[in-house]
Amino acid sequence: MEIEKLKQILFNVNHLCSHISCSRTQIKKIDFGEHKQIYTDIERLLTIYVCSLLDELVVFEKFVHKQDNFYLSDTLYVIVPLIDYLKQFDSLKVKRNKLLAHLNRDQSKTFNPWWKALDGKRFSTTIQEDRMLFSTIKCIHDIFKKRFAKELKEVLEEFNKEIDIYEKKIMEMPSVDTYKDIAPTIEEVQNRMKERDFTFTILSRM
């Protein structure tokens, strides 16, 4: 078994499922009436996470098919019905692609409005249905955590160390004089606006 590839999959599945769970829990604390935009943005982020999870589960499925390993194939066999249930909500990937990632554009960059692309697709339309969708993701997460506890622990320790080193490096980077950094760009844009008789001002220093 290609253990490193398995660990990479486990890391991604765990990361996505954990963030889905946390976002799902936290969004319940937001007053939709007072913070509509924040609520909507978290909902959209959840859509991206769920689609990324579905993509990663495809990676897992292809990985399993290349391995001669009953433990892996048994795991896939059990979670396939859960994956198939998630796939029934075919609005998710259309929403991710046409509304969030590539607004109103298809693969050829042709204008394809999201409201038309989503017409006829399945959404979770009730609280109970929404709850079952996320419960399904929790089931997938639980199966991975229990079936691959040792491998997941190892990869989390390994990758979290690398992430800590990267974050420390970023935090120690020297500060940048933001305005000085962008000043040549502002000057160039303002000169071009004058050349073309634009009558308004942008990018003025705050």
Side-chain angles (χ1 to χ4, degrees):
M1 179 169 61
E2 298 178 84
I3 190 66
E4 290 306 314
K5 287 186 178 180
L6 174 63
K7 286 182 176 180
Q8 292 163 5
I9 293 168
L10 294 175
F11 182 84
N12 280 358
V13 169
N14 181 72
H15 178 88
L16 291 164
C17 288
S18 296
H19 278 271
I20 289 168
S21 177
C22 288
S23 296
R24 174 77 175 153
T25 299
Q26 293 299 317
I27 198 173
K28 295 176 182 177
K29 300 178 182 179
I30 299 173
D31 186 316
F32 180 78
E34 291 186 18
H35 305 288
K36 181 179 179 180
Q37 189 61 53
I38 296 173
Y39 188 98
T40 300
D41 286 344
I42 295 175
E43 280 282 4
R44 289 174 172 178
L45 184 61
L46 275 167
T47 296
I48 293 173
Y49 281 154
V50 174
C51 290
S52 294
L53 175 62
L54 285 169
D55 290 342
E56 194 64 29
L57 292 171
V58 171
V59 174
F60 177 67
E61 183 178 359
K62 291 180 179 179
F63 171 76
V64 172
H65 289 326
K66 291 181 180 179
Q67 308 298 310
D68 184 17
N69 186 294
F70 287 114
Y71 194 84
L72 288 174
S73 59
D74 287 349
T75 305
L76 178 62
Y77 177 75
V78 169
I79 67 171
V80 160
L82 298 169
I83 297 172
D84 288 343
Y85 177 75
L86 293 177
K87 287 180 179 178
Q88 291 180 33
F89 296 90
D90 54 355
S91 65
L92 289 167
K93 288 199 173 184
V94 176
K95 184 179 177 184
R96 189 263 312 262
N97 294 335
K98 297 297 187 299
L99 178 60
L100 307 179
H102 313 286
L103 182 62
N104 296 329
R105 297 290 177 185
D106 59 22
Q107 291 182 340
S108 63
K109 306 305 179 185
T110 302
F111 187 77
N112 183 12
W114 61 263
W115 58 91
K116 292 185 179 179
L118 283 170
D119 187 37
K121 302 299 182 182
R122 181 180 176 183
F123 292 83
S124 56
T125 56
T126 65
I127 294 174
Q128 291 78 11
E129 196 172 32
D130 199 52
R131 186 179 295 129
M132 287 310 302
L133 192 154
F134 288 102
S135 294
T136 301
I137 292 171
K138 184 180 184 303
C139 288
I140 292 171
H141 194 199
D142 288 344
I143 290 169
F144 271 93
K145 287 191 295 183
K146 288 179 171 62
R147 293 284 285 179
F148 304 105
K150 176 177 176 293
E151 293 84 357
L152 180 58
K153 182 176 182 294
E154 290 173 353
V155 75
L156 285 174
E157 289 175 354
E158 177 186 352
F159 285 179
N160 283 340
K161 284 181 182 178
E162 294 180 9
I163 292 169
D164 287 343
I165 291 171
Y166 171 77
E167 289 180 343
K168 185 174 184 292
K169 180 181 177 181
I170 295 299
M171 293 300 294
E172 291 175 350
M173 290 181 68
S175 298
V176 175
D177 184 329
T178 306
Y179 186 77
K180 184 178 179 181
D181 185 54
I182 199 174
T185 300
I186 293 175
E187 184 178 357
E188 177 66 21
V189 170
Q190 290 175 339
N191 287 337
R192 292 185 180 205
M193 291 172 71
K194 288 178 183 177
E195 289 175 10
R196 296 296 187 267
D197 296 324
F198 282 33
T199 58
F200 52 88
T201 301
I202 62 169
L203 296 174
S204 58
R205 188 171 185 174
M206 300 298 289

